[in-house]
Amino acid sequence: MMEYESEFSTLTNQDITIRKLEDQLILAEKHVEDRVAAVLLEKESEMNDIVEGAQNELQYKNSQLESYLEEARTRAAEVQRMYDQAQEQLFELRSDMEDNDAARQSENEILSEDAARSRSLVESLKNEVKNLQQKLEEEKTERFHGDAFKSSDRVVDLEEEVINKNEQIQL
């Protein structure tokens, strides 16, 4: 019986040891689980910080890109406005040049017509002066041959007419 008791006592001690070891194992598992949970929380926090930093950086870059894009759009609109304005000015200049050319051409035609009329008038007046000078000569000859008083008045009239015609020619 002693052996039994000794074995019983050994078994009881072993049972107590097993229970202690099971309790230690449970505590160790709990400790490992707690440690794993803490590491997971720490890693999750680090990952969240990394993700948040990446998101912030992305937002900043997106904001910069939007700013650059808006600036490029503004510049493009300004360039388009300047191009349209230059096209308008070019069209106006061409239109003004065409108007000026047409006016100059019309003025040249009018001046040519006036010059032709003036030449024609000068020729006509020169012919009249010749005729008047011829008549004056005839009157002078008649004066020596005929009625001196009548021809003297006629000579003065013809001389005045010649002077007037010469003045008209010079104008």
Side-chain angles (χ1 to χ4, degrees):
M1 230 343 254
M2 248 199 58
E3 222 179 270
Y4 246 166
E5 281 185 29
S6 163
E7 199 174 311
F8 183 69
S9 181
T10 305
L11 284 176
T12 307
N13 283 340
Q14 283 178 352
D15 188 39
I16 291 173
T17 303
I18 288 174
R19 284 193 188 144
K20 281 182 183 179
L21 287 174
E22 284 177 345
D23 287 343
Q24 285 178 354
L25 181 61
I26 290 172
L27 285 175
E29 285 176 350
K30 181 148 176 42
H31 178 68
V32 167
E33 285 177 5
D34 289 345
R35 181 70 185 137
V36 165
V39 168
L40 281 175
L41 280 175
E42 186 179 315
K43 291 295 179 183
E44 185 179 357
S45 176
E46 286 176 11
M47 290 304 288
N48 284 339
D49 288 346
I50 290 171
V51 167
E52 186 178 330
Q55 285 176 337
N56 287 341
E57 189 174 334
L58 269 174
Q59 285 177 344
Y60 175 74
K61 286 182 179 180
N62 274 345
S63 173
Q64 278 186 322
L65 287 174
E66 286 293 328
S67 176
Y68 293 146
L69 181 61
E70 186 59 34
E71 186 178 326
R73 284 180 182 151
T74 302
R75 285 182 184 168
E78 179 65 20
V79 167
Q80 183 64 43
R81 186 190 64 74
M82 289 169 54
Y83 174 77
D84 291 343
Q85 187 178 19
Q87 287 290 75
E88 256 182 57
Q89 288 175 347
L90 181 61
F91 177 75
E92 287 175 12
L93 286 173
R94 283 183 181 160
S95 178
D96 288 348
M97 280 179 34
E98 288 171 0
D99 290 348
N100 286 342
D101 287 346
R104 202 173 305 120
Q105 182 66 28
S106 176
E107 190 175 312
N108 285 342
E109 288 172 6
I110 290 171
L111 289 174
S112 293
E113 289 172 5
D114 284 349
R117 271 191 248 118
S118 294
R119 281 191 297 271
S120 175
L121 180 61
V122 166
E123 285 301 315
S124 172
L125 289 173
K126 283 181 180 179
N127 287 336
E128 281 186 46
V129 166
K130 280 183 186 177
N131 288 338
L132 288 174
Q133 285 175 341
Q134 190 178 6
K135 284 182 184 178
L136 180 61
E137 287 302 316
E138 288 172 6
E139 286 295 324
K140 283 183 182 177
T141 1
E142 274 184 29
R143 186 172 153 198
F144 291 116
H145 295 99
D147 190 4
F149 182 70
K150 182 179 171 187
S151 52
S152 164
D153 287 338
R154 179 76 180 132
V155 168
V156 170
D157 288 342
L158 287 173
E159 284 176 342
E160 285 178 5
E161 207 171 322
V162 167
I163 290 170
N164 286 338
K165 295 297 178 185
N166 279 330
E167 286 176 359
Q168 285 181 351
I169 288 173
Q170 296 196 2
L171 292 178

